[in-house]
Amino acid sequence: MNGKIIEQTLQTLGMNTVNHGASVGGKKGWLQAKGQVLVSYSPIDQEPIGNVIMATRDEYEQVIETAQKSFIKFRMMPAPKRGEIIRKIGNALRQKKEALGTLISLEAGKIKSEGLGEVQEMIDIADFAVGLSRQLHGLTMHSERPMHRMYEQWHPLGIVGIITAFNFPCAVWGWNALLAAVCGDVNLFKPSSKTPLTAIAIQNIIAPVVDEYGIEGVFNLVIGNRDDVGNPLLNDKRIPLISATGSTAMGKKVATSVANRLGRSLLELGGNNAIIVTPDADLNMALQATLFGAVGTAGQRCTSTRRIIVHESVKDRFIDRLVKACEQVKIGNPLDDGVLMGPLIDHTALEQMETAINDCAEQGGYLVYGGERLIIKEFENGCYVTPAIMEAKNDYPVVQEETFAPLLYIMPYRDLDQAIEMHNDVPQGLSSAIFTQSMQAQETFLSHMGSDCGIANVNIGTSGAEIGGAFGGEKETGGGRESGSDAWKIYMRRQTNTINWGSDLPLAQGIVFNPDIF
């Protein structure tokens, strides 16, 4: 890989070959970490990009203590003023969009347009948060008691722990940190160990804004191992909310640990997303959505399309056209123009894909196309594969699991009831879609009899959610909601207030004291 691109990108983002993994924000907010060295490898060629000295338990404690002190002050800042800070963070991200997008491609393996798109999503959520800073509203209710007024208001929670996955190293931080900040919270960011440099870059980009407003301790970063940072974070009673994005297995551990201390969890976990294709569907649209959902980020999105449930009358035609489309997908260096699919994140991901293909075949499935490793001359150590298409049945054990790779299972159905039953018959419940020209099929899919997922689309694929709507899923996806709508409420605590502006004190349950008592 071109070392000059790495050097220029890191330099533009204010980074070095060796970086420290603990910060309370601002240019002078970096702590001298004393932990082990974490090497960030590029999926492009599995060569190192840079090193991070991880935080120890001592640095974790320093960051937490600073965050606690900062929260006491930051929560008193008027919400619109906090929104002004987020507006400037959005502008700072605009200025570094190109470099940060390039780093995402280098470190996460996303194609360049996806890397830039992720930064744009951060910018968009910043704009959303600015507007939200003037809309943190509660309700007014009528009291059953005369001369009483009831209303509810929302208060900041405190420190929000943010644990992210490698596939969206920036956007998920933005969804949580920027919304939490306008709510008056401070945050502690623990990124994936596979994408630590991107997290450091974010801290550097927003540092001038942190310094301008003197808000050290609001946007904090700790990169560390499980013993020094991971487990302490989950079990820390000083952190009322943990937002975690990752696998279902990871989410179960987070939920258990946080629940044991009666904390809150916001979980965004695995997806096993399906598209139903009806006989009258626009196949061109369905094929485009399928291809994008299956190969985007090399199938390493929680919203990636995993299953196609296609009517038996159009199944063969759909498969034939999908195979031809897959053959046209350019696979290679994600920084090159025209490349539509980059590498898998590492060799473990490659092995998991190969295992899933073999398991499906053993369980009765049939490999229609792809699933082969590609050896690209200049990137021989990179984990490049062709997207795989397999005919399978929904009840195969391997189909019931999420394989984080470009592996697509296709299965036929006879009628809509059967299709919906198959669609819902998996443990996960994140994103879903139906392609149809039938209003009855559309409305059935969107009704309580239809998709059991947190996201349900019509004539739109499973991948590519807009920030204006709440994002998240049901069942083993965790039940969390982030980004738009009223997702901000998870970062605050609700308080119901009652004011008696009269001269009498009516008591509950109609109890009346003898006036002689008083």
Side-chain angles (χ1 to χ4, degrees), residues 172-194:
V172 174
W173 173 85
W175 287 0
N176 287 275
L178 301 184
L179 294 192
V182 297
C183 291
D185 298 319
V186 303
N187 68 80
L188 179 60
F189 181 21
K190 182 189 181 301
S192 166
S193 60
K194 296 177 182 178

Side-chain angles (χ1 to χ4, degrees), residues 2 38 47 68 78 115 132 139 166 230 236 242 260 310 320 348 357 362 385-387 430 436 477:
N2 192 336
L38 173 66
E47 293 297 321
Q68 282 185 298
L132 179 64
L139 297 174
F166 76 86
D236 199 327
I242 297 290
N260 279 338
V310 59
D320 288 344
T348 299
I357 291 173
E362 290 178 1
V385 295
T386 55
L430 179 51
T436 184
T477 301

